[in-house]
Amino acid sequence: MDLRKKPLQGMRQLYPEDMRVDRYVLDALHSAGEAYGFEEFDAPVIEPLDLFLAKSGNELAVEQSYHFQDKSGRELILRPELTPSLARMVASAGELLWPVKWMSFPLCYRYERPQRGRAREFRQFNCDILGCDSLQAELEMFLLLRRSMEGLGVGDDIYEIAYSSRRLAAAALVASGFSEDEMLGAFHLVDRREKMPAEEWEEYVVEEVGDDDRSRALLRFARCRDVEDPWLEDAVGDTEAYEEIVELNRLLEEVGVAPAVFDASVVRGLDYYTGVVFEVADTGGRNRRALCGGGRYDDLVGLFGGKRISGVGFGLGMLTLRLFLESYDLIPQGVKESSPTTLFMTVMSDQQRGYALRLAEKLRSAGVSVEMDMSGRNLSRQFKLAGKRGVPLTAVVGPDEAASGTVGLKDMESSSQEEVKADELPDRVKAFCKDSDRDT
RNA sequence: GUGGGAGUAGUUCAGUUGGUAGAGCCCCUGACUGUGGAUCAGGUGGUCGCCGGUUCAAAUCCGGUCUCCCACCCCA
């Protein structure tokens, strides 16, 4: 047996210092979700392959997934995304209060070569609103995204929420002579616009579509950055899709969602999106990939029988988000370094260990996080460890303290130390915590 | 699946025309048997990714292979 020191390619392995950063980001996102009344849920990591064949698109379900047979020969898959499982849960739940507003932080899996911002195992922040047909759902998604970014200290100037609509794109393309069958292919062409230099993309489109009015229309459409673009109004001005995007644009302006911008070239890759689609992008140019992708899906829940329920949702990649935050130095200093422990209990010798342990337990009962020396090394070494751990307080117990029923309490930052009676220790420590909270 | 780059100590890296490996940081110990960050001294630590070839001799040259990173495909 040859044991590797590394985990399988692309699999997550977070050491505590990485986990602290993840926890910080997760907590911020969770709070943002709660601010809008989203409730957390979870679903299976392993699903029947069929669940994803139906709507996610063949490439994602088959070529880019971990799928396998179990011992009874069933075709299974490690979920590449969460939405189909969510749709099933909603379809099969008995009574639900509408609209359903759920969030989740699923680990998902894709079988592809890892690169910057892409791993084979990754966590995403998923939020969905189901059972709301109006644009209020889209609006709330945008607000939630903005609040999430704000909660992580991201300014409006370095990101955007770019949105468009698949219905709009379809209407524009049909008006320009494309057939329904060509639609997904045409979406794909539009989607690639940001991935290559403008001229190269134009040549590519002409090559794929032909040098005719249709390719010129597609090129023109993808360039629209304003819902009032005359070309767009002329092509699809009389359609519901156009009215919808104008209305969304109006709502966003009315509420003042500054990062939201219309961009006709946004179509997103997942096949089940039917209406408004959106993505969060870095506008500072440091991260090429979209941080988040989402949109409205009209017939996903209906696949499971019963009534058709429309939903809007997004997936936000924790890895891309973290790279984004790091590239703008937005992870607060304390997050990576800070220890979860409040106090380090040093012990002079084993004679005082019992006394020190009782003190430590008393503190823990009072809700204070305490780490106690286990090494029996000299005080100098114990303090050195406490310092390295970044613990704000240290308690010292030696023969004198044990005899007098006291403890030395030291503030590591200021190096000041005082004698405290053992009974008063919990209150003193908690008072210290309150003070330092107020400072920060 | 396609293309590019890289693998030497825990880590960042150096290593000349082939002559059997070195530095900073980290870690451990001591100066310092009741107090961390500083300083000084010492110490642990390597299958030079792996296998084969050329050679008296390979981290170095050649072939193969594995792994990681970056980009493409696709997407969070």
Side-chain angles (χ1 to χ4, degrees):
Chain A
M1 188 132 53
D2 188 22
L3 292 177
R4 298 166 32 117
K5 273 187 178 169
K6 289 175 180 167
L8 290 173
Q9 184 178 47
M11 294 296 151
R12 278 162 36 107
Q13 181 167 270
L14 301 181
Y15 285 90
E17 68 193 66
D18 303 314
M19 196 66 225
R20 279 202 288 269
V21 176
D22 245 45
R23 176 51 58 200
Y24 160 76
V25 177
L26 285 168
D27 287 349
L29 296 175
H30 192 269
S31 307
E34 279 191 324
Y36 294 86
F38 283 77
E39 288 201 275
E40 194 172 354
F41 76 102
D42 205 354
V45 170
I46 299 175
E47 290 282 12
L49 181 59
D50 289 346
L51 183 61
F52 295 91
L53 286 178
K55 276 288 175 182
S56 293
N58 203 55
E59 169 114 24
L60 181 58
V62 179
E63 284 158 50
Q64 308 233 89
S65 75
Y66 278 90
H67 65 270
F68 55 96
Q69 284 188 354
D70 71 359
K71 290 181 180 176
S72 64
R74 287 177 294 195
E75 294 288 340
L76 305 179
I77 184 172
L78 294 184
R79 64 181 174 203
E81 54 157 339
L82 184 71
T83 312
S85 306
L86 164 70
R88 180 189 57 210
M89 284 172 73
V90 168
S92 59
E95 294 279 316
L96 287 172
L97 290 176
W98 302 97
V100 163
K101 294 166 69 173
W102 287 357
M103 64 174 161
S104 194
F105 298 86
L107 279 176
C108 296
Y109 299 81
R110 292 187 190 172
Y111 195 83
E112 60 184 344
R113 291 273 284 270
Q115 57 188 294
R116 181 180 160 83
R118 298 289 115 145
R120 289 180 162 184
E121 178 182 51
F122 56 95
R123 195 180 288 285
Q124 45 177 59
F125 174 42
N126 250 262
C127 275
D128 290 86
I129 299 176
L130 294 106
C132 173
D133 291 338
S134 87
L135 287 169
Q136 289 303 312
E138 276 87 348
L139 180 60
E140 187 151 309
M141 284 286 142
F142 284 41
L143 288 169
L144 169 56
L145 281 170
R146 182 180 65 172
R147 190 171 294 273
S148 299
M149 297 302 263
E150 198 179 288
L152 288 162
V154 181
D156 285 359
D157 52 329
I158 54 171
Y159 80 99
E160 66 177 16
I161 308 172
Y163 65 91
S164 181
S165 152
R166 280 203 163 188
R167 244 193 304 278
L168 181 77
L173 292 172
V174 166
S176 310
F178 286 86
S179 70
E180 290 291 338
D181 293 343
E182 293 170 308
M183 210 50 69
L184 282 180
F187 283 170
H188 185 70
L189 288 174
V190 173
D191 195 35
R192 295 192 50 133
R193 179 176 151 78
E194 299 296 328
K195 300 193 173 175
M196 52 183 93
E199 281 180 28
E200 199 178 313
W201 178 69
E202 285 171 21
E203 284 168 20
Y204 175 67
V205 169
V206 169
E207 194 181 308
E208 292 289 318
V209 181
D211 188 7
D212 56 17
D213 287 347
R214 291 155 75 237
S215 64
R216 277 186 285 279
L218 192 152
L219 293 170
R220 183 65 185 80
F221 171 71
R223 232 180 294 137
C224 293
R225 290 290 179 283
D226 184 342
V227 293
E228 283 167 16
D229 188 304
W231 183 90
L232 194 62
E233 214 171 336
D234 186 50
V236 295
D238 56 347
T239 62
E240 279 181 25
Y242 183 71
E243 280 172 27
E244 182 186 60
I245 210 77
V246 168
E247 175 63 5
L248 178 59
N249 186 63
R250 190 191 68 75
L251 286 171
L252 290 166
E253 276 179 14
E254 184 182 280
V255 183
V257 189
V261 293
F262 172 74
D263 179 345
S265 71
V266 173
V267 296
R268 302 308 308 160
L270 292 170
D271 290 352
Y272 53 68
Y273 290 133
T274 48
V276 171
V277 284
F278 54 91
E279 62 191 31
V280 172
D282 176 359
T283 52
R286 301 193 190 174
N287 300 273
R288 203 153 273 234
R289 266 164 219 296
L291 301 176
C292 158
R296 183 174 283 274
Y297 42 92
D298 280 333
D299 42 11
L300 209 45
V301 177
L303 284 178
F304 299 92
K307 59 185 172 205
R308 222 173 109 123
I309 296 164
S310 175
V312 189
F314 66 79
L316 191 155
M318 295 290 295
L319 187 54
T320 36
L321 177 58
R322 182 173 173 165
L323 287 170
F324 174 81
L325 294 173
E326 281 171 351
S327 64
Y328 289 100
D329 203 21
L330 291 173
I331 310 281
Q333 270 302 310
V335 173
K336 244 183 174 154
E337 290 85 14
S338 77
S339 155
T341 311
T342 303
L343 181 144
F344 190 99
M345 180 77 70
T346 64
V347 188
M348 277 288 296
S349 76
D350 282 343
Q351 273 77 60
Q352 290 85 47
R353 194 162 289 276
Y355 174 77
L357 265 171
R358 285 195 296 278
L359 277 178
E361 281 300 292
K362 207 187 266 179
L363 282 168
R364 289 165 181 151
S365 297
V368 179
S369 167
V370 178
E371 179 178 359
M372 190 165 140
D373 171 72
M374 287 190 276
S375 70
R377 292 188 290 190
N378 65 38
L379 272 193
S380 176
R381 299 288 163 201
Q382 296 184 37
F383 268 90
K384 196 167 183 170
L385 178 62
K388 289 233 165 84
R389 289 269 161 100
V391 177
L393 290 173
T394 323
V396 191
V397 171
D400 299 347
E401 286 82 1
S404 62
T406 60
V407 62
L409 184 61
K410 178 169 177 177
D411 178 336
M412 292 298 272
E413 203 186 338
S414 67
S415 283
S416 62
Q417 182 172 333
E418 56 185 316
E419 222 40 27
V420 175
K421 284 191 178 150
D423 318 350
E424 293 169 7
L425 184 59
D427 286 341
R428 292 296 295 274
V429 172
K430 285 163 97 172
F432 171 87
C433 293
K434 251 186 202 162
D435 282 353
S436 55
D437 273 357
R438 232 189 324 250
D439 292 347
T440 51

